[in-house]
Amino acid sequence: MPLDSALNSLGFAKPPAQTRVVVAMSGGVDSSVVAAQLAEEGYDVVGVTLQLYDHGAALAKKGACCAGRDIHDARRVAEEMGFPHYVLDYENTFREAVIDEFADSYLAGATPVPCIRCNERVKFKDLLETAKDLDADCMATGHYIQRQMGDTKAELHSAADGNRDQSYFLFSTTQDQLDYLRFPLGHLKSKDETRALATKYGLSVADKPDSQDICFVPDGNYAKLIEKLRPGSAEAGDIVDVDGNVLGTHKGVIHYTVGQRRGLGIGGLADPLYVVKLDVDKKHVIVGPRDMLATRRVPIREINWLGDEKFSDMKERNIMVRVRSTRPPTDAILRPISETEAEVELMVAEQGVSPGQACVFYDPDSTRVLGGGWIWRGA
């Protein structure tokens, strides 16, 4: 009989009742289904929810997570399924590790992705350590991504449902973290299957809407949040073309992102203009034609590599990359510079590649996620 037949559904050679699993519960339907499913299978489930920001602000916003109503919903699911649930106050940690960097990056003219930093620095770091402190064998989440055992180690793979795949936001998951994490929803073909499971378990959150936007931005107005966090940051300046000619004025660089066309207030020109660069020091919003947004060479740093070979030993490798969460993977060549830096050459130029976004690496011959890094301006 194969050895694998002795393993439970989480990959441990012991009965579910003797396997403790901490489930990171945001209060949404995904993590609630994970917790309910594992509890029904007989695992020793412990639910943990992180309070990441002010209750009052969150209660007024629909589609947020990790505060207010969602904490109540997570606790209710735990009561319904009969397992313990704890709420941990991580407001200070979240602000220091995620919100402050978001503000500073935005002020520097970048387009940050705070959800990645939250996974990297809070959920898969501090919460994971808490799970180990609770003597859990593993930690499970409701993310749509797959963990598969390869020939030598656990591998990260895209979700079966391409529309729900969250690999872009989880590229910085380290090998040590991947060894400990479990993603029970990654194999599902659609969100409808998740909601059907929620209905099967009789969960009160079965029809709860998905979370939207960035959780700590109550109304989706990033610039308003930045002004609150960094008073005086919205200083007026000039909108200029690539030759330095002044075309108009703006109320603050923080109101603009690379690739933006609407809201520039410089209509009446023969050809449409786009934001092609932000010069924070000069307080300039630089605009140009659409073709100036096209980029083929992308400098990457803070690389997390999940491939089998040593990263710095490679000269170059053909891969697929995603340079924005809303774009499909595209053919590229990865050229390492050091253990944590590389240059990516895109086979077809992409428009609007922006510093602060992630560049995620994929195996062109499978669903495997090979890691990724952060796009920056280069030296």
Side-chain angles (χ1 to χ4, degrees):
M1 181 178 292
L3 179 62
D4 287 350
S5 65
L7 302 181
N8 61 34
S9 63
L10 293 178
F12 298 98
K14 54 184 175 180
Q18 297 175 19
T19 306
R20 174 169 292 179
V21 52
V22 164
V23 179
M25 301 183 68
S26 68
V29 63
D30 298 326
S31 57
S32 296
V33 164
V34 168
Q37 185 176 49
L38 294 176
E40 186 189 60
E41 291 178 13
Y43 286 97
D44 179 8
V45 174
V46 178
V48 176
T49 299
L50 301 182
Q51 179 187 324
L52 299 181
Y53 56 99
D54 178 67
H55 277 107
L59 283 170
K61 184 194 176 189
K62 294 181 179 179
C65 75
C66 305
R69 182 73 196 181
D70 292 307
I71 292 176
H72 169 78
D73 288 342
R75 181 181 294 115
R76 184 175 176 183
V77 167
E79 291 174 351
E80 291 169 350
M81 298 303 299
F83 58 82
H85 174 258
Y86 302 96
V87 179
L88 305 181
D89 183 354
Y90 272 52
E91 283 192 34
N92 290 337
T93 299
F94 185 67
R95 168 139 188 173
E96 293 170 2
V98 179
I99 298 179
D100 284 345
E101 184 189 73
F102 173 83
D104 293 337
S105 296
Y106 224 91
L107 284 175
T111 308
V113 191
C115 296
I116 298 176
R117 290 301 196 193
C118 181
N119 290 326
E120 174 187 311
R121 297 176 174 178
V122 182
K123 293 178 181 177
F124 289 179
K125 182 176 179 289
D126 293 342
L127 178 54
L128 190 146
E129 290 303 317
T130 296
K132 291 181 178 179
D133 290 341
L134 291 171
D135 292 326
D137 294 283
C138 63
M139 186 174 88
T141 80
H143 289 106
Y144 286 88
I145 197 166
Q146 299 188 77
R147 175 189 184 274
Q148 298 180 9
M149 288 306 300
D151 293 335
T152 60
K153 61 183 180 180
E155 300 174 353
L156 200 63
H157 286 254
S158 299
D161 180 1
N163 293 323
R164 307 295 304 180
D165 176 56
Q166 292 177 290
S167 59
Y168 184 85
F169 300 99
L170 297 171
F171 82 86
S172 62
T173 305
T174 67
Q175 188 63 51
D176 286 344
Q177 292 168 346
L178 185 56
D179 291 340
Y180 192 70
L181 289 164
R182 301 294 187 273
F183 308 106
L185 302 184
H187 68 287
L188 298 183
K189 298 296 190 294
S190 72
K191 184 61 177 270
D192 290 340
E193 290 188 35
T194 306
R195 293 196 181 279
L197 288 171
T199 300
K200 169 187 172 183
Y201 299 131
L203 302 183
S204 54
V205 296
D207 296 320
K208 186 175 181 178
D210 292 338
S211 59
Q212 302 292 329
D213 300 320
I214 297 175
C215 66
F216 56 86
V217 185
D219 55 4
N221 189 333
Y222 300 169
K224 181 179 178 181
L225 173 69
I226 303 301
E227 288 184 73
K228 179 180 178 181
L229 295 173
R230 303 289 187 269
S233 60
E235 296 184 32
D238 293 327
I239 299 176
V240 303
D241 63 19
V242 291
D243 296 318
N245 300 309
V246 177
L247 303 180
T249 59
H250 63 78
K251 296 181 180 179
V253 173
I254 62 173
H255 294 281
Y256 302 86
T257 58
V258 172
Q260 181 176 335
R261 175 186 173 187
R262 299 182 183 278
L264 299 179
I266 51 173
L269 300 174
D271 298 310
L273 295 176
Y274 299 77
V275 176
V276 297
K277 186 178 180 181
L278 300 172
D279 190 326
V280 177
D281 294 333
K282 293 181 179 179
K283 301 181 181 63
H284 282 176
V285 173
I286 303 167
V287 297
R290 182 181 176 87
D291 59 14
M292 289 195 67
L293 291 170
T295 302
R296 282 194 60 191
R297 295 187 180 275
V298 185
I300 311 296
R301 62 183 177 184
E302 293 184 63
I303 287 171
N304 177 56
W305 179 246
L306 294 172
D308 295 326
E309 62 271 75
K310 186 177 179 181
F311 185 70
S312 58
D313 285 348
M314 293 188 299
K315 183 177 180 181
E316 63 179 37
R317 175 170 173 163
N318 292 322
I319 59 170
M320 303 282 283
V321 300
R322 180 176 282 161
V323 294
R324 188 160 291 188
S325 63
T326 55
R327 295 181 182 173
T330 184
D331 290 320
I333 298 175
L334 173 65
R335 297 189 178 96
I337 296 172
S338 70
E339 289 286 357
T340 59
E341 292 182 295
E343 179 184 77
V344 167
E345 180 183 355
L346 304 173
M347 295 298 95
V348 177
E350 288 266 354
Q351 294 186 334
V353 176
S354 177
Q357 296 282 302
C359 178
V360 181
F361 311 150
Y362 298 86
D363 182 354
D365 300 318
S366 71
T367 59
R368 188 175 178 184
V369 183
L370 297 173
W374 294 93
I375 299 169
W376 65 302
R377 291 182 178 83

